[in-house]
Amino acid sequence: MRLGSGTFATCCVAIEVLGIAVFLRGFFPAPVRSSARAEHGAELPAPEPSAGASSNWTTLPSPLFSKVVIVLIDALRDDFVFGSKGVKFMPYTTYLVEKGASHSFVAEAKPPTVTMPRIKALMTGSLPGFVDVIRNLNSPALLEDSVIRQAKTAGKRIIFYGDETWVKLFPKHFVEYDGTTSFFVSDYTEVDNNVTRHLDKVLKRGDWDMLILHYLGLDHIGHISGPNSPLIGHKLSEMDSVLMKIHTSLQSKVRLAIAHCVVMWFHGPHATGSTVSVSTALTVFQQPCDIRHPKHVQQTDVAATLAIALGLPIPKDSVGSLLFPVVEGRPMREQLRFLHLNTVQLSKLLQENVPSYEKDPGFEQFKMSERLHGNWIRLYLEEKHSEVLFNLGSKVLRQYLAALKTLSLSLSTQVAQYDMYSMMVGTVVVLEVLTLLLLSVPQALHRKAELEVPLSSPGFSLLFYLVILVLSAVHVIVCTSAESSCYFCGLSWLAAGGVMVLASALLCVVVSVLTNMLVGGNASRKNPVHPSSRWSELDLLILLGTAGHVLSLGASSFVEEEHQTWYFLVNTLCLALSQETYRNCFLGDDSEPPCGLRVEQGLDGATAAWRDGPACDALERDKGHRSPSASQVLRGHEKWMVLASPWLILACCRLLRSLNQTGVQWAHRPDLGHWLTSSDHKAELSVLAAISLLVVFVLVQRGCSSVSKAALALGLLGVYCYRAAIGSVRFPWRPDSKDISKGIIEARFVYVFVLGILFTGTKDLLKSQVIAADFQLKTVGLWEIHSGLVLLAALLFRPHNLPVLAFSLLIQTLMTKFIWKPLRHDAAEITVMHYWFGQAFFYFQGNSNNIATVDISAGFVGLDTYVEIPAVLLTAFGTYAGPVLWASHLVHFLSSETRSSSALSHACFCYALICSIPVSTYIVLVTSLRYHLFIWSVFSPKLLYEGMHLLITAAVCVFFTAMDQTRLTQS
């Protein structure tokens, strides 16, 4: 079966996406869950242990607090309360902590640290998964057991004000609520005022049992300006006054013998290190308390503590343990009762999720604690006051606390139990595809850009059926002997069989291709055409750079700071291009072209061949007809622009590095982006945004039709109007305007022009497919599609990132006119350069391998409510705008500047290969490092990025193939 290189590469990437999906499903395990669902009704509480004595305490203990106020302040880091900033900006809270009027903790959050998963962890006590990051965009109703559900069942009245995510998670649980959206991060004032304005009224009332307040302003300031912004201090002072108002109001009711609790918690800060990034302030205001230094606890412990404090059953899926200092002042019998209920709940959860639970150290400690507790109860009923009773009770307390710690750790560790079978299936498919791509390089980059895929030989059929039988047997053995749940085993036989057939076919194709290469290699060694071959400097740089990047993925520090790798590679590439331009312009290019592992794809279309064997013969025959070198073609200022272009590009990259600090180690350092986004420099930001949009128009309009030029100009004007409407920039004639809106009308105005330009470009492409001779029409159509994507990126980018877009277009223009054309690079080299610059611009935008840097506000531009598909597509495009824009420019460049019939096929194959190498290697590295200390905080988010990048690559390859088919139709 003969396929074009582009079509073959697209099919390979599509199969690779399937393999990655299976791997991800196995790598991110199913969460620990109780088999007794919440809707089945509440179970009776476990009776108090007894050893021969008759204890009649079979009910839940009475509540510690009759009213609870929960204050959640997003992005409230522990150093904001317990550090120097707390003393300076939160004096009242600091005073309460220091005088012993509170229990203070540092609550550590497990990743992912975004809103919905953290609320889920807080209220259910369960550990959220990375799939909850996707659900965070549109949080569905929470069906799991939670403190809110238990309070609602117990008839407690709950009032909520704040982030509307709560209302989506608990749609019918609040007797009164007022939700505010969390995605318009430019607003950090009204979003908190909408919560505080209810406070005076609700505190005077007594018709509620739980009051939940969720403040977003501090988090929004962190997103906009970072943790060192001067706005942070003002917001902390505002939150301190809110806490003082709540505490003084609750204190006035102490005479009514009502106990109160205020909890402060957040979902994820904007900090610099792995430890600080998950450490948050958690304070329980309670009278009286001991003065203690903050103790480190888990955020999952809050659910069990709240349930005990309110006299409710602990949520069934909770893996947290009771914060014992909260109940330490209660009588010994009550303390033991609280701890017993918590250990019973955790032991039941362990039994339902761990087959060998009886051998677990925590379960053994629990049984020992129960026996000691029973002995204490018997002694307590006989004599209520004795030193022996107190000593035994203290021993039981210590035993329970040890059991709680061990059980909680065992259940948390259970979340890291990987589905190795599914991971192996996905890894095998991905590695088979990568091997097939690597073996197909000589044929795919040949002049014809076609390759033979052996699918019908008898040997192939025999091997194919033998492999299917072996895989089926392995599947049956694994699925019948697996002790834990397995995703791949849970699939239907049709689906699992389809994957096994695919894996078998891939293996057979790899074996056939390898056999043909070995046979062909022996023949070529007997009759060598060229005894020696050499690589160009650029080829070596591409090979070594790709290998170096792949190897760097095995180190957590290099993953955290991957942007440094791409910055280094792009800078080195510019230096290599500078050396090449000097050599061509001053020394000439009369040397014989090298024969090696590269495709010759001159921009003049004179030669297009694999540089080996017959290809070099063709080059020898055409030696006298080669295109003139750069030194012969360029004269005057053009020659000096060619020499200066690599240095200009280096200067642009250096400026872009200063715009957004990303990664982990240096993310806290001030950068130009933080300076521009501060409220004191809105005028400078407005001027810079306007200049950037003007530069974008000048660079893009040159290739558009007159209609598209007008649409582009109006669209870019609409982009500025949209940013002015939401308050990011200002108009010169309205410098002090405070009319801030969501900019719905302005954004939709821009969307109309985006769709219009894309429609015009698509229409031109379809026309060029019918009118075979109109090559110019296809060129204009491709550029208009590129222009529509540029306009969409301008709308979604934050104002301080618009220079990134302008510099991207400027570098593309310089490379096209003064490097790729004069130096006549081949399609493979040009493709790799586009890929490298696309990756660099991904990080120039401020992205990193941390999920917290994803700008989800891009998915809500122009939308007044959440619409899932547009929101996901806009967020994905806003995040990967750099790679996508460079890929679309690559398609236009190869289609317009070359006359070769195989350029797009070669580019598609090279693009697929250079993306497949790191993702294939990375899943092997992640599998081997699955028990690494930073597997969830560093390696897992990067794995999600790699999976999404592969999906983007598949879409890019489809576009390449479609344009290549258009070329075939015309020819």
Side-chain angles (χ1 to χ4, degrees):
M1 181 179 178
R2 185 164 290 276
L3 292 175
S5 299
T7 305
F8 173 76
T10 303
C11 294
C12 286
V13 175
I15 296 172
E16 210 167 7
V17 170
L18 174 64
I20 288 292
V22 175
F23 178 87
L24 290 176
R25 183 58 182 82
F27 183 82
F28 295 106
V32 174
R33 291 287 180 266
S34 171
S35 59
R37 304 316 308 157
E39 58 267 18
H40 292 167
E43 298 179 0
L44 293 176
E48 191 176 43
S50 60
S54 57
S55 172
N56 57 358
W57 198 353
T58 58
T59 59
L60 289 172
S62 58
L64 301 178
F65 312 128
S66 58
K67 288 187 183 297
V68 175
V69 180
I70 303 176
V71 182
L72 297 98
I73 305 174
D74 258 332
L76 184 70
R77 292 180 357 195
D78 59 324
D79 58 320
F80 285 177
V81 178
F82 307 125
S84 58
K85 286 187 178 180
V87 176
K88 182 177 180 181
F89 299 115
M90 304 188 75
Y92 186 78
T93 305
T94 304
Y95 167 73
L96 292 178
V97 171
E98 290 180 350
K99 82 166 188 176
S102 70
H103 293 294
S104 300
F105 306 94
V106 175
E108 297 178 356
K110 301 293 185 183
T113 55
V114 291
T115 302
M116 193 276 278
R118 300 282 29 111
I119 295 175
K120 184 177 177 182
L122 182 73
M123 290 293 106
T124 67
S126 61
L127 291 172
F130 275 85
V131 69
D132 292 318
V133 175
I134 308 300
R135 295 176 181 172
N136 184 62
L137 294 174
N138 186 30
S139 308
L142 186 63
L143 301 179
E144 301 168 28
D145 194 13
S146 65
V147 175
I148 300 293
R149 178 188 289 272
Q150 294 287 0
K152 174 72 173 177
T153 303
K156 295 187 180 294
R157 296 172 59 84
I158 312 171
I159 296 178
F160 170 77
Y161 304 118
D163 188 350
E164 63 182 5
T165 306
W166 286 78
V167 182
K168 295 178 181 179
L169 289 172
F170 309 104
K172 299 180 181 179
H173 296 73
F174 304 124
V175 295
E176 182 181 323
Y177 63 87
D178 184 10
T180 57
T181 181
S182 60
F183 293 109
F184 296 101
V185 297
S186 58
D187 173 26
Y188 52 82
T189 304
E190 292 299 322
V191 72
D192 285 347
N193 291 341
N194 287 336
V195 178
T196 306
R197 64 190 176 93
H198 299 283
L199 206 52
D200 290 329
K201 177 182 65 176
V202 76
L203 287 175
K204 292 178 182 178
R205 293 158 40 188
D207 59 345
W208 52 269
D209 302 296
M210 288 183 68
L211 174 62
I212 304 174
L213 309 172
H214 192 161
Y215 286 94
L216 297 166
L218 187 63
D219 180 55
H220 288 187
I221 292 173
H223 280 293
I224 296 172
S225 306
N228 299 315
S229 169
L231 297 173
I232 293 288
H234 298 295
K235 183 57 67 174
L236 290 177
S237 298
E238 179 187 338
M239 294 297 99
D240 190 54
S241 63
V242 168
L243 294 174
M244 181 173 67
K245 180 183 294 186
I246 295 171
H247 187 251
T248 53
S249 176
L250 296 179
Q251 265 192 323
S252 65
K253 299 175 183 177
V254 169
R255 69 190 68 178
L256 302 178
I258 302 177
H260 311 280
C261 172
V262 177
V263 180
M264 295 188 297
W265 172 87
F266 93 116
H267 78 83
H270 313 279
T272 61
S274 299
T275 303
V276 179
S277 66
V278 295
S279 299
T280 65
L282 171 62
T283 303
V284 180
F285 294 137
Q286 184 183 1
Q287 298 277 1
C289 303
D290 294 330
I291 302 176
R292 296 180 181 178
H293 294 291
K295 179 183 177 182
H296 284 258
V297 297
Q298 298 297 320
Q299 284 189 359
T300 50
D301 297 338
V302 174
T305 306
L306 280 175
I308 292 295
L310 290 168
L312 303 172
I314 299 174
K316 298 181 178 64
D317 298 328
S318 172
V319 299
S321 57
L322 173 67
L323 299 177
F324 184 69
V326 177
V327 300
E328 206 168 9
R330 309 294 292 184
M332 178 65 73
R333 187 178 185 185
E334 290 188 20
Q335 294 181 39
L336 295 178
R337 177 66 169 153
F338 295 145
L339 295 173
H340 177 249
L341 289 172
N342 198 179
T343 50
V344 167
Q345 177 264 325
L346 291 178
S347 65
K348 286 183 178 179
L349 194 60
L350 185 76
Q351 293 177 48
E352 295 171 1
N353 289 275
V354 179
S356 56
Y357 66 91
E358 293 180 347
K359 299 178 182 178
D360 187 89
F363 189 79
E364 294 176 352
Q365 288 177 325
F366 161 65
K367 287 299 183 183
M368 175 65 70
S369 303
E370 265 199 329
R371 286 194 294 269
L372 290 175
H373 191 183
N375 294 333
W376 186 90
I377 291 294
R378 184 183 61 185
L379 186 61
Y380 173 83
L381 295 176
E382 293 175 355
E383 48 178 322
K384 295 189 177 183
H385 302 285
S386 70
E387 185 177 351
V388 176
L389 184 66
F390 176 79
N391 292 336
L392 180 58
S394 300
K395 182 179 180 180
V396 177
L397 276 178
R398 290 192 298 270
Q399 190 74 23
Y400 266 132
L401 291 173
L404 277 176
K405 183 177 180 180
T406 309
L407 285 170
S408 182
L409 182 62
S410 298
L411 289 167
S412 300
T413 306
Q414 183 66 21
V415 177
Q417 296 298 315
Y418 302 97
D419 180 0
M420 290 302 299
Y421 182 44
S422 299
M423 290 170 61
M424 289 299 102
V425 171
T427 302
V428 167
V429 172
V430 171
L431 291 182
E432 285 178 337
V433 170
L434 177 62
T435 305
L436 186 57
L437 284 171
L438 291 173
L439 293 177
S440 303
V441 168
Q443 292 186 65
L445 296 184
H446 194 268
R447 176 175 54 84
K448 294 182 179 180
E450 291 181 348
L451 64 163
E452 186 69 30
V453 182
L455 292 176
S456 57
S457 64
F460 177 96
S461 301
L462 178 60
L463 180 62
F464 174 73
Y465 290 115
L466 284 175
V467 172
I468 286 183
L469 286 175
V470 172
L471 292 181
S472 300
V474 170
H475 184 71
V476 171
I477 293 172
V478 171
C479 294
T480 53
S481 60
E483 294 184 353
S484 57
S485 61
C486 174
Y487 168 73
F488 197 70
C489 292
L491 294 177
S492 64
W493 262 102
L494 183 62
V499 175
M500 287 187 283
V501 168
L502 180 63
S504 304
L506 286 172
L507 179 62
C508 294
V509 171
V510 168
V511 171
S512 299
V513 171
L514 187 59
T515 303
N516 293 336
M517 286 186 66
L518 292 175
V519 173
N522 292 332
S524 63
R525 279 194 294 271
K526 292 178 182 178
N527 302 292
V529 179
H530 286 274
S532 62
S533 62
R534 60 189 178 90
W535 294 54
S536 71
E537 294 91 340
L538 195 59
D539 293 331
L540 290 174
L541 173 61
I542 289 172
L543 178 65
L544 295 176
T546 302
H549 169 250
V550 169
L551 292 176
S552 71
L553 297 178
S556 60
S557 297
F558 277 94
V559 172
E560 290 178 332
E561 310 296 329
E562 189 183 356
H563 60 285
Q564 302 285 5
T565 302
W566 287 112
Y567 295 166
F568 173 79
L569 290 178
V570 167
N571 292 343
T572 308
L573 175 63
C574 290
L575 293 176
L577 291 173
S578 176
Q579 182 263 349
E580 190 173 357
T581 57
Y582 279 104
R583 183 180 61 195
N584 277 269
C585 289
F586 293 114
L587 301 179
D589 193 19
D590 297 328
S591 60
E592 182 180 340
C595 299
L597 298 178
R598 60 187 291 229
V599 59
E600 174 63 25
Q601 185 60 63
L603 292 179
D604 56 358
T607 57
W610 173 253
R611 286 192 175 181
D612 195 11
C616 286
D617 287 341
L619 289 174
E620 288 290 333
R621 290 194 300 269
D622 296 339
K623 190 174 181 179
H625 304 284
R626 280 184 300 154
S627 301
S629 66
S631 61
Q632 297 171 318
V633 174
L634 300 174
R635 293 291 182 270
H637 72 280
E638 288 188 355
K639 180 176 182 180
W640 295 111
M641 279 301 300
V642 169
L643 295 175
S645 290
W647 300 101
L648 290 175
I649 295 170
L650 269 175
C652 293
C653 292
R654 185 62 190 89
L655 289 173
L656 289 173
R657 289 184 64 174
S658 303
L659 188 62
N660 292 303
Q661 291 285 359
T662 185
V664 173
Q665 297 299 324
W666 297 278
H668 66 287
R669 292 186 177 179
D671 53 37
L672 187 58
H674 287 152
W675 185 83
L676 288 169
T677 52
S678 65
S679 57
D680 297 332
H681 304 108
K682 187 174 287 188
E684 290 85 348
L685 177 61
S686 302
V687 172
L688 183 62
I691 294 175
S692 299
L693 292 173
L694 182 61
V695 171
V696 169
F697 175 75
V698 171
L699 295 175
V700 173
Q701 56 83 31
R702 57 189 173 84
C704 296
S705 63
S706 56
V707 175
S708 295
K709 286 182 182 179
L712 180 65
L714 292 174
L716 292 173
L717 180 61
V719 169
Y720 192 89
C721 293
Y722 165 72
R723 290 300 170 182
I726 65 174
S728 299
V729 298
R730 60 176 62 150
F731 289 114
W733 57 89
R734 296 170 62 186
D736 298 324
S737 176
K738 296 184 179 180
D739 298 332
I740 297 178
S741 68
K742 295 181 180 179
I744 302 295
I745 297 176
E746 292 84 354
R748 290 178 178 177
F749 176 79
V750 179
Y751 282 136
V752 170
F753 291 111
V754 171
L755 294 175
I757 296 173
L758 292 176
F759 174 78
T760 304
T762 305
K763 181 191 69 174
D764 291 342
L765 285 178
L766 294 176
K767 268 188 178 181
S768 68
Q769 201 168 12
V770 177
I771 308 173
D774 199 345
F775 175 80
Q776 184 64 28
L777 192 61
K778 177 185 177 183
T779 302
V780 173
L782 285 171
W783 185 257
E784 285 176 335
I785 289 178
H786 179 66
S787 303
L789 296 177
V790 169
L791 180 57
L792 180 59
L795 176 63
L796 300 181
F797 276 19
R798 296 180 184 272
H800 75 277
N801 265 341
L802 287 175
V804 176
L805 184 60
F807 276 119
S808 175
L809 295 170
L810 179 61
I811 292 174
Q812 289 172 359
T813 303
L814 291 173
M815 297 282 282
T816 299
K817 191 171 182 179
F818 300 112
I819 293 181
W820 292 324
K821 285 184 180 180
L823 299 182
R824 304 190 307 277
H825 290 109
D826 59 49
E829 291 173 342
I830 292 173
T831 300
V832 175
M833 290 187 221
H834 274 83
Y835 179 84
W836 281 17
F837 272 101
Q839 291 299 104
F841 272 87
F842 173 82
Y843 294 102
F844 283 146
Q845 293 174 230
N847 293 318
S848 70
N849 289 325
N850 189 342
I851 293 178
T853 58
V854 176
D855 182 14
I856 57 176
S857 64
F860 296 83
V861 174
L863 302 178
D864 52 2
T865 185
Y866 178 81
V867 185
E868 185 171 3
I869 294 178
V872 171
L873 292 178
L874 290 174
T875 303
F877 179 79
T879 304
Y880 289 92
V884 170
L885 290 178
W886 277 86
S888 66
H889 181 270
L890 174 63
V891 175
H892 171 265
F893 176 81
L894 294 179
S895 299
S896 60
E897 302 297 337
T898 67
R899 295 296 188 270
S900 170
S901 61
S902 57
L904 284 176
S905 292
H906 289 158
C908 183
F909 183 86
C910 292
Y911 201 91
L913 178 62
I914 201 169
C915 179
S916 299
I917 292 174
V919 71
S920 304
T921 308
Y922 191 69
I923 64 172
V924 176
L925 290 173
V926 166
T927 303
S928 61
L929 296 172
R930 62 188 181 277
Y931 296 115
H932 193 280
L933 179 62
F934 299 136
I935 186 64
W936 297 114
S937 59
V938 176
F939 293 104
S940 295
K942 171 62 178 174
L943 182 60
L944 292 177
Y945 274 107
E946 287 293 334
M948 190 64 196
H949 187 205
L950 185 66
L951 189 61
I952 297 290
T953 302
V956 168
C957 289
V958 169
F959 185 59
F960 270 106
T961 305
M963 294 302 99
D964 194 37
Q965 294 302 317
T966 301
R967 185 265 308 163
L968 292 175
T969 302
Q970 292 177 356
S971 60

